[in-house]
């Protein structure tokens, strides 16, 4: 039997403590709702981590035992320590999956992995959103159907300043007329990255079964089969026998006339 995917749901966990409206929707934080939704679908081991824990809950040991990291942040992107961002980046390059949700588009980790501004248009007006499933045969859209409809969402509109995705999975349409690339896949090093747009803190979006299904599908898709530590070795013992010219070059460091 295949081993369970080891998931960590990371949440900044500030809005839920500071704003009554958010606390009402997510009394124990969005991370706990996402975690319990994923657990219900099975096949995963799920832990959570938050910004205010030591090392933001993302110690070397935690990351070493994580297959897929889910990231939600918004008002405190700047408080995430650069050292931890580097650590997460390194682990993604080695193979760890990363799922970035909603306002995580402006997180340090997403920006560093994309290399662009990751800016977009936005509007808070409880608009209807329809996420069109562009890739019904992709593992991330398994069991989703033609589209997902959310009655009340924050609008995100193009242009979303990202590198062209390796695979575009969802496009959103909003009541006000904008469209947005809502589900995007990239590979960085050995790691798979999925950006998924829904998840504004004042709407109960992470209780939606289709939304959790997409995140769960993405976890299984992004789970690495192997972790590969990148090195930059000097190979002095090639597989094939080298000629005298090559060996002389090796000694002198310059190409001899001969
Ligand atoms: Zn939002």
């Amino acid at each position: 039997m295949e081993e369970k995917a080891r998931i960590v749901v990371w949440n900044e966990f500030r809005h839920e403590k500071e704003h009554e409206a958010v606390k009402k929707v997510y009394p124990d934080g969005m991370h706990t709702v996402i975690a319990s939704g994923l657990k219900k679908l099975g096949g995963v081991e799920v832990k959570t981590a938050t910004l205010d824990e030591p090392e933001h809950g993302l110690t070397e040991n935690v990351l070493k035992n994580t297959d897929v990291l889910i990231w939600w942040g918004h008002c405190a992107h700047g408080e995430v320590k650069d050292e931890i961002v580097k650590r997460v980046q390194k682990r993604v390059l080695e193979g760890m999956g990363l799922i970035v949700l909603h306002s995580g588009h402006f997180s340090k980790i997403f920006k560093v992995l994309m290399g662009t501004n990751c800016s977009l248009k936005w509007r808070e007006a409880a608009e209807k959103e329809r996420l069109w499933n562009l890739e019904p045969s992709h593992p991330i859209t398994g069991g989703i159907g033609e589209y997902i409809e959310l009655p009340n969402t924050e609008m995100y509109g193009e242009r979303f300043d990202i590198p062209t995705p390796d695979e575009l999975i969802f496009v959103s349409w909003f009541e006000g007329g904008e469209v947005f690339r809502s589900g995007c896949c990239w590979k960085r090093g050995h790691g798979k990255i999925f950006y998924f747009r829904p998840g504004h803190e004042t709407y109960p979006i992470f209780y939606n079964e289709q939304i959790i299904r997409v995140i769960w599908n993405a976890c299984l898709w992004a789970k690495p089969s192997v972790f590969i530590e990148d090195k930059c070795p000097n190979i002095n013992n090639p597989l094939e026998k080298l000629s005298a010219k090559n060996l002389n070059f090796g000694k002198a460091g310059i190409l001899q006339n001969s």
Side-chain angles (χ1 to χ4, degrees):
M1 206 181 87
E2 209 184 334
E3 286 195 12
K4 287 184 175 183
R6 301 163 301 172
I7 315 297
V8 171
V9 185
W10 189 90
N11 181 13
E12 168 186 285
F13 196 26
R14 287 283 172 83
H15 290 301
E16 298 95 322
K17 292 180 196 162
E18 292 165 7
H19 301 109
E20 278 308 316
V22 183
K23 204 183 282 180
K24 257 191 206 158
V25 185
Y26 296 109
D28 301 312
M30 277 176 267
H31 52 295
T32 60
V33 172
I34 296 168
S36 71
L38 296 175
K39 276 184 213 159
K40 255 189 229 161
L41 290 171
V44 288
E45 262 172 38
V46 191
K47 293 181 179 154
T48 62
T50 55
L51 178 65
D52 293 330
E53 292 170 41
E55 302 181 52
H56 310 323
L58 300 173
T59 61
E60 294 277 5
N61 195 46
V62 165
L63 289 180
K64 208 174 85 190
N65 293 293
T66 301
D67 293 319
V68 182
L69 178 64
I70 297 172
W71 195 279
W72 196 101
H74 181 226
C75 64
H77 292 317
E79 290 180 48
V80 178
K81 290 189 196 110
D82 292 339
E83 174 198 340
I84 308 295
V85 176
K86 268 195 192 139
R87 187 184 288 170
V88 173
Q89 180 193 16
K90 178 172 180 285
R91 200 61 183 148
V92 170
L93 297 179
E94 288 170 2
M96 184 180 73
L98 179 70
I99 298 171
V100 176
L101 299 172
H102 190 61
S103 40
H105 74 89
F106 254 176
S107 61
K108 287 183 181 177
I109 184 61
F110 189 60
K111 289 211 263 189
V112 91
L113 286 164
M114 294 296 111
T116 54
N117 293 311
C118 304
S119 53
L120 46 78
K121 289 182 191 148
W122 61 281
R123 173 174 64 234
E124 262 196 86
E127 284 166 75
K128 177 154 108 176
E129 173 181 10
R130 193 175 293 128
L131 293 104
W132 287 98
N133 174 0
L134 305 183
E135 297 296 340
S137 59
H138 196 281
I140 291 181
T141 59
I144 292 306
E146 205 175 9
Y147 57 82
I148 300 172
E149 213 164 78
L150 300 170
N152 300 297
T153 60
E154 175 187 25
M155 185 283 290
Y156 276 8
E158 297 282 349
R159 188 177 182 263
F160 185 16
D161 186 35
I162 46 170
T164 299
D166 299 338
E167 294 177 294
L168 182 58
I169 308 292
F170 289 104
V171 164
S172 283
W173 164 90
F174 294 88
E175 216 168 333
E178 285 85 358
V179 295
F180 190 76
R181 287 170 287 174
S182 277
C184 305
C185 300
W186 296 268
K187 196 149 182 229
R188 289 292 182 267
H190 303 286
K192 289 177 178 165
I193 300 169
F194 180 56
Y195 173 80
F196 191 42
R197 193 212 85 84
H200 186 64
E201 66 275 7
T202 54
Y203 304 115
I205 284 166
F206 294 123
Y207 295 95
N208 180 302
E209 284 179 12
Q210 279 178 300
I211 297 297
I212 288 294
R213 165 75 59 170
V214 170
I215 298 171
W216 182 78
N217 286 342
C219 286
L220 301 188
W221 165 81
K223 182 192 172 212
S225 49
V226 65
F227 284 97
I228 296 170
E229 196 178 343
D230 187 54
K231 289 175 184 151
C232 193
N234 182 353
I235 304 299
N236 282 319
N237 301 304
L239 293 179
E240 309 300 335
K241 198 168 184 296
L242 294 177
S243 68
K245 180 195 79 171
N246 303 128
L247 294 170
N248 285 340
F249 178 78
K251 259 182 249 157
I254 49 167
L255 195 58
Q256 309 285 327
N257 287 333
S258 63

